[in-house]
């Protein structure tokens, strides 16, 4: 689904014109005929969120300035483009101070409005990404940081919000790349452990002989190589949240100790004399079917039931196609900032391409595709040409994938013993390499330049000297050294 824009204007003709113009740009549009109606729509629960407001400043009752003021007072952080028939400097300054992103004068041209909308959405996406990164670093990420306009994902978020209010163990299920860690961070950010440690453990990356030490810690000298005491991930997460990603990859021996730690609320570090009490919130995640792993004997049934107290399933991106444009805009804003590029947004055809693709790698694949597109882009807008691999797999989009580079052996430089001949592409180019592959002498190049100038300027010595940047007497001397007949020089000089 494209960005949703709210057009607010008391003039019905102007409202319809703006609505038609904005729909032509490829956006979804809703309209409001007054400031009060606009505020009611912005704060309406259970309806799709508004991404941008095009707001008339002059309206009866509640005017545009009052709407901007109330938006700021109520914490409605939505970019606004204000418009009026009187573009005075005072009005512009007042609107910007009230929180407007841009200012246009009626009647606004289509190109001017389109650029303003794209810039506003891009800046808003970048600000959202910066705020989100800050909250992520502080352990205060919330469910509002998860983009969705899809009912199925919205239900998942409501379920996660309920889980966040208690200390219940949560199992997040979903394909690789759907955002399981983001969901886990949002659960912590909405809980009473907000701002506390959030420790992530990828169970699939743990060396089998060090799993116990990494999770539960060890004492100095507990085993060969244990030269220092190690606290372990459970102790690091004390008071906060422990996120065990890819829990299905945990070895059976470690599963036994994990079960005891969860049941007793204490761990046994390797080599320790007594257990250590820990206070953690456990959130685990998997992209596998744990029930099938239990049936095949690769996962303990008792641990499964201990982890699966509150299961949350995240739908794949192909089931959330309406979220793709907003996710793409956020990634675009972040990567443009990181790469120092100024790209306004995605072309309509590019948005259609992204929405049509299946995305087997889910949100992570979309993120990487946007990164590559930003690096490839030369213009101020991403087009289908920046997504060749995606376009090649979607019917109706014809983009030639660049050929695979030649092997390095084919690109190796020619050995010095083998002369290389460089044929000029124009008769007016001077060769710098001789037939033996060696650089030509300066005097030979100079002689060729003088002969060319003599022919090109039809023997006009004053003109030749001026164009070559040398004195006329010097030119005569050099031409005599080249063996040009004195009578020819005399005739030319005459």
């Amino acid at each position: 689904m494209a960005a949703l824009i709210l057009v607010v204007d008391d003039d019905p003709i102007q409202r319809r014109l703006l609505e038609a113009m904005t729909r032509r740009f490829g956006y979804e549009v809703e309209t409001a005929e007054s400031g009060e109606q606009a505020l009611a729509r912005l704060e309406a629960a259970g309806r799709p969120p508004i991404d941008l407001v095009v707001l008339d400043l002059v309206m009866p009752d509640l005017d545009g300035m009052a709407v901007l003021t109330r938006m700021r007072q109520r914490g409605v952080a939505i970019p606004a483009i204000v418009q009026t028939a009187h573009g005075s400097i005072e009005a512009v300054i007042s609107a910007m101070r009230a929180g407007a992103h841009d200012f246009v004068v009626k009647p606004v041209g289509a190109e001017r409005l389109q650029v303003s909308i794209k810039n506003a959405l891009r800046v808003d996406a970048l600000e959202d990404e910066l705020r989100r990164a800050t909250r992520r670093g502080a352990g205060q990420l919330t469910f509002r940081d998860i983009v969705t306009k899809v009912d199925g994902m919205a239900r998942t978020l409501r379920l996660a919000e309920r889980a966040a209010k208690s200390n219940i163990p949560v199992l997040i299920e979903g394909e690789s790349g759907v955002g399981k860690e983001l969901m886990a961070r949002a659960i912590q950010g909405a809980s009473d452990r907000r701002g506390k440690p959030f420790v992530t453990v990828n169970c699939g990356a743990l060396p089998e002989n060090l799993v116990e030490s990494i999770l539960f810690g060890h004492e100095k000298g507990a085993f060969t190589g244990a030269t220092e005491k190690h606290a372990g991930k459970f102790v690091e997460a004390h008071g906060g949240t422990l996120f065990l990603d890819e829990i299905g990859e945990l070895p059976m021996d470690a599963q036994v100790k994990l079960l005891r730690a969860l049941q007793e609320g204490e761990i046994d570090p390797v080599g320790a004399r007594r257990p250590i009490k820990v206070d953690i919130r456990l959130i685990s995640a998997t992209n596998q079917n744990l029930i099938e792993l239990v049936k095949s004997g690769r996962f303990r049934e008792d641990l499964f039931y201990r982890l699966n107290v509150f299961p949350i399933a995240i739908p794949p991106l192909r089931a959330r196609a309406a979220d793709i444009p907003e996710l793409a805009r956020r990634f675009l804003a972040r990567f443009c900032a990181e790469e120092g590029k100024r790209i306004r947004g995605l072309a309509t055809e590019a948005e259609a391409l992204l929405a049509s693709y299946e995305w087997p790698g889910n949100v992570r694949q979309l993120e990487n595709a946007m990164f590559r597109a930003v690096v490839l882009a030369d213009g101020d807008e991403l087009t289908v040409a920046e997504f060749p691999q995606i376009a090649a797999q979607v019917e109706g989009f014809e983009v030639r994938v660049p050929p695979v580079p030649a092997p390095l052996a084919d690109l190796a430089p020619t050995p010095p013993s083998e002369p290389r001949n460089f044929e000029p592409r124009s008769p007016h180019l001077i060769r710098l390499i001789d037939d033996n592959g060696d650089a030509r002498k300066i005097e030979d190049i100079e002689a060729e330049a003088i002969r060319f100038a003599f022919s090109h300027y039809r023997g006009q010595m004053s003109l030749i000297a001026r164009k070559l940047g040398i004195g006329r007497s010097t030119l005569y001397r050099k031409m005599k050294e080249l063996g040009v007949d004195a009578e020819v020089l005399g005739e030319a000089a005459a």
Side-chain angles (χ1 to χ4, degrees):
M1 181 186 294
L4 179 57
I5 296 177
L6 179 64
V7 174
V8 187
D9 200 311
D10 62 314
D11 184 348
I13 297 177
Q14 184 68 19
R15 198 165 58 241
R16 285 197 296 270
L17 288 174
L18 284 173
E19 180 182 6
M21 193 184 301
T22 309
R23 287 191 187 279
R24 251 190 346 262
F25 301 154
Y27 302 109
E28 297 293 326
V29 185
E30 291 187 19
T31 60
E33 59 184 21
S34 67
E36 291 287 358
Q37 191 177 10
L39 288 173
R41 174 61 185 89
L42 290 173
E43 297 178 328
R47 297 186 64 183
I50 299 295
D51 296 302
L52 182 140
V53 179
V54 179
L55 178 65
D56 188 18
L57 277 187
V58 182
M59 293 185 293
D61 300 328
L62 195 67
D63 63 9
M65 294 296 297
V67 172
L68 289 172
T69 302
R70 292 196 186 181
M71 286 173 62
R72 185 171 57 186
Q73 290 172 348
R74 299 176 185 181
V76 181
I78 296 174
I81 300 172
V82 296
Q83 58 164 353
T84 183
H86 309 287
S88 65
I89 297 298
E90 292 78 9
V92 172
I93 294 175
S94 298
M96 294 304 180
R97 284 178 175 173
H101 177 272
D102 201 357
F103 188 99
V104 296
V105 179
K106 292 182 180 180
V108 60
E111 184 177 356
R112 172 70 177 88
L113 181 61
Q114 185 177 28
V115 169
S116 183
I117 290 174
K118 286 190 174 182
N119 286 340
L121 291 174
R122 177 174 59 84
V123 172
D124 183 58
L126 177 58
E127 290 176 349
D128 277 349
E129 282 294 297
L130 292 174
R131 287 192 292 265
R132 183 169 156 232
T134 301
R135 289 193 292 269
R136 181 188 177 103
Q140 298 177 352
L141 215 63
T142 66
F143 293 106
R144 285 182 296 179
D145 295 302
I146 300 178
V147 175
T148 189
K149 295 181 179 179
V150 180
D151 290 341
M153 187 63 180
R155 286 194 295 270
T156 298
L157 292 179
R158 288 195 295 270
L159 191 64
E161 286 176 352
R162 293 187 178 185
K165 295 176 182 178
S166 73
N167 207 35
I168 191 171
V170 175
L171 176 63
I172 303 176
E173 300 172 301
E175 296 179 6
S176 179
V178 294
K180 295 187 288 291
E181 182 177 343
L182 181 64
M183 182 68 76
R185 289 182 179 275
I187 290 173
Q188 174 181 321
S191 71
D192 56 2
R193 295 176 184 262
R194 179 179 182 180
K196 300 296 179 60
F198 183 92
V199 179
T200 300
V201 180
N202 188 337
C203 298
L206 297 177
E208 192 166 346
N209 59 331
L210 295 177
V211 171
E212 189 176 342
S213 171
I214 292 173
L215 289 178
F216 309 114
H218 63 253
E219 295 292 326
K220 181 179 179 180
F223 52 85
T224 304
T227 57
E228 299 290 340
K229 180 179 178 179
H230 176 64
K233 298 298 182 181
F234 270 79
V235 174
E236 288 180 26
H238 182 71
T241 302
L242 179 64
F243 177 58
L244 298 180
D245 197 9
E246 305 303 342
I247 188 69
E249 303 289 341
L250 198 65
M252 292 294 288
D253 292 343
Q255 292 179 28
V256 177
K257 284 209 164 187
L258 175 61
L259 178 62
R260 183 182 183 282
L262 297 178
Q263 288 177 336
E264 306 297 332
E266 60 184 25
I267 59 172
D268 290 307
V270 179
R273 296 182 178 180
R274 57 180 63 89
I276 299 175
K277 285 285 185 182
V278 288
D279 172 28
I280 62 153
R281 166 71 180 274
L282 181 72
I283 302 177
S284 50
T286 180
N287 61 0
Q288 302 183 67
N289 189 329
L290 290 187
I291 295 180
E292 294 299 322
L293 294 182
V294 170
K295 291 179 179 178
S296 62
R298 290 183 292 162
F299 200 84
R300 291 184 61 93
E301 185 175 8
D302 48 3
L303 178 59
F304 168 73
Y305 289 119
R306 186 72 186 179
L307 298 176
N308 197 43
V309 181
F310 201 105
I312 296 175
I314 302 180
L317 187 57
R318 59 182 171 274
R320 303 169 49 195
D323 293 339
I324 293 175
E326 179 62 24
L327 287 168
R329 277 193 294 272
R330 291 196 177 196
F331 293 144
L332 174 62
R334 170 153 56 92
F335 292 133
C336 282
E338 292 176 0
E339 297 297 312
K341 289 198 171 185
R342 296 182 62 86
I343 301 175
R344 290 201 307 266
L346 284 89
T348 304
E349 189 181 12
E351 285 195 5
L353 169 66
L354 298 183
S356 303
Y357 186 55
E358 289 294 320
W359 299 107
N362 295 294
V363 179
R364 184 183 295 119
Q365 184 186 4
L366 174 61
E367 182 179 10
N368 293 334
M370 291 301 300
F371 192 6
R372 182 180 185 276
V374 169
V375 173
L376 287 177
D378 292 322
D380 63 350
E381 190 175 56
L382 293 185
T383 65
V384 174
E386 276 74 59
F387 301 94
Q389 282 81 3
I390 304 298
Q393 301 178 58
V394 179
E395 186 177 353
F397 294 91
E398 296 292 335
V399 174
R400 184 175 64 86
V401 179
V404 178
L408 293 178
D410 297 341
L411 300 177
T414 306
S417 59
E418 299 180 12
R420 294 173 292 180
N421 295 325
F422 294 85
E423 293 298 331
R425 291 174 291 179
S426 168
H428 304 307
L429 295 179
I430 294 178
R431 295 172 56 190
L432 299 179
I433 304 293
D434 61 19
D435 293 337
N436 295 322
D438 298 321
R440 297 178 65 195
K441 295 180 180 179
I442 293 294
E443 52 264 32
D444 292 341
I445 297 174
E446 182 184 68
E448 187 172 339
I450 292 174
R451 287 194 183 97
F452 170 79
F454 187 82
S455 172
H456 186 69
Y457 295 111
R458 301 178 183 278
Q460 301 178 52
M461 300 300 286
S462 298
L463 181 60
I464 296 170
R466 188 166 64 252
K467 294 296 184 181
L468 291 178
I470 59 178
R472 183 166 173 167
S473 59
T474 302
L475 177 61
Y476 272 97
R477 176 175 55 79
K478 288 183 176 292
M479 294 192 71
K480 286 180 180 179
E481 291 174 356
L482 295 177
V484 178
D485 194 288
E487 293 182 3
V488 174
L489 292 178
E491 294 172 0

